[in-house]
Amino acid sequence: MTDAPATTYADRRVVKELSQLRPWRTTMALALDWLVIAAAITTSVLSESSWVYALALLVIAGRMHALAVLIHDFAHYRWIKNKVVSEWVGDLFLAWPLMTTVDGYRQNHLAHHRHTNTESDPDFRDRLGVPAFTFPKSWHQLAMIFVGYALVFRSILDIMGFLRRFEARPSSGYTSARIGFYIVVIAFFWAIDAVQGLFWYWMLPFLTLFFAIMYVRSVAEHFGSMDYGHELTGTRTVIPHMWEKAIFAPHNVNYHLDHHLYPSVPYYNLPQLHAHLMQNPDFRELAHITQGYTTGVLRECLQEAAEKRN
């Protein structure tokens, strides 16, 4: 699937066992994500409260992030062995609603795996030297980035970056099916007189909070106080606080270093993989593991933390 790590940190038998697919786990996760989105929308509409609406936006954006994480597993074919069925289900229920495609994401992501943190890594190359991904920062600089997401223009910049990197070459039939999907969705909401709801409950959280959350995750995975000279120090695993899991770390996406080393392991087995890797003294000593997104990762990205280290 991708190249093996330069050094073996885990027992092959353990990795093989943890790589076994349990499709029902991913199916239930996908269904639950959509159920939570539906519940958040229903609760907000019935409450007619601006405070409940604001909370619903955060919940929806968090579940959008969860769907995006499942796209990642589908890109690695970590749902079922039937690749054709996997591709269509992934597109219909995950990627197309988030304005992307599984295959487009896959082409970019596998290149990221093969050439992590080098000029040949499309993610790293696209962000290298970009102010938003240049650290350390001051509180003010970091705050202005999130203001940019609130005003949508930073999300537009991110979308342009995705379009540059996600270079799938779909057939004309696939393109027609995708366009048809969006036409059917819009027609459905038009028929039930809910087009405004589609904007307020999908497009607005998508263009603001979702991309802000994705920015936090992108930074946490490969930026801020990183040492790119070793495979264990150029990618970060984050141990999230309990409240952070739903927003920043759905479906165990926080175990990013562990995933880079052994991408055959599906998301639901990453905690067990991490526990196994921590038994290896080399991994335990060198691995870049940070406690919390809003604590450890934030400290590693701020100017004040860098000054204290110096």
Side-chain angles (χ1 to χ4, degrees), residues 237-285:
T237 276
V238 182
I239 307 303
H241 301 298
M242 185 64 67
W243 72 269
E244 295 176 328
K245 289 185 178 181
I247 303 299
F248 299 122
H251 306 317
N252 300 319
V253 73
N254 51 293
Y255 294 105
H256 196 60
L257 172 57
D258 315 75
H259 165 70
H260 261 269
L261 294 174
Y262 299 99
S264 65
V265 177
Y267 79 89
Y268 39 83
N269 286 336
L270 287 176
Q272 296 96 307
L273 173 64
H274 179 74
H276 176 68
L277 287 170
M278 289 297 287
Q279 297 175 21
N280 183 304
D282 293 332
F283 179 88
R284 191 168 58 248
E285 179 181 352

Side-chain angles (χ1 to χ4, degrees), residues 8-201:
T8 300
Y9 301 102
D11 186 290
R12 289 185 178 182
R13 290 171 297 181
V14 173
V15 173
K16 183 177 180 180
E17 175 63 27
L18 293 178
S19 298
Q20 298 300 309
L21 300 181
R22 294 177 174 80
W24 69 270
R25 294 285 301 271
T26 303
T27 303
M28 291 296 292
L30 190 159
L32 183 60
D33 288 339
W34 280 109
L35 183 62
V36 170
I37 289 172
I41 295 172
T42 302
T43 301
S44 176
V45 170
L46 293 178
S47 72
E48 299 183 347
S49 164
S50 57
W51 291 105
V52 175
Y53 171 69
L55 180 60
L57 291 187
L58 182 61
V59 172
I60 292 167
R63 288 307 89 193
M64 285 179 172
H65 184 206
L67 296 176
V69 173
L70 291 182
I71 293 175
H72 173 263
D73 258 46
F74 274 67
H76 282 285
Y77 298 111
R78 296 294 81 198
W79 178 42
I80 59 176
K81 294 182 179 180
N82 188 317
K83 293 183 178 181
V84 174
V85 173
S86 176
E87 205 78 353
W88 280 107
V89 170
D91 276 333
L92 283 168
F93 294 100
L94 298 170
W96 288 355
L98 295 178
M99 313 302 171
T100 189
T101 67
V102 173
D103 186 61
Y105 175 81
R106 178 185 296 114
Q107 301 311 314
N108 177 88
H109 185 66
L110 295 187
H112 166 65
H113 268 276
R114 295 187 189 99
H115 310 290
T116 306
N117 300 329
T118 70
E119 287 289 339
S120 298
D121 175 352
D123 287 344
F124 190 73
R125 183 177 63 242
D126 202 52
R127 293 161 180 165
L128 189 62
V130 174
F133 289 91
T134 301
F135 296 92
K137 291 189 180 301
S138 67
W139 279 100
H140 171 72
Q141 291 171 322
L142 201 57
M144 291 307 297
I145 289 174
F146 289 103
V147 170
Y149 282 110
L151 297 177
V152 180
F153 77 84
R154 282 224 57 87
S155 299
I156 294 174
L157 292 176
D158 288 351
I159 291 172
M160 292 171 62
F162 293 150
L163 291 175
R164 284 193 301 270
R165 301 196 304 276
F166 295 0
E167 297 180 355
R169 296 177 176 82
S171 66
S172 58
Y174 177 90
T175 300
S176 298
R178 187 181 179 190
I179 294 172
F181 170 84
Y182 293 123
I183 291 174
V184 168
V185 169
I186 294 172
F188 171 77
F189 282 96
W190 187 280
I192 64 173
D193 195 27
V195 173
Q196 288 188 352
L198 184 62
F199 172 80
W200 291 110
Y201 286 101

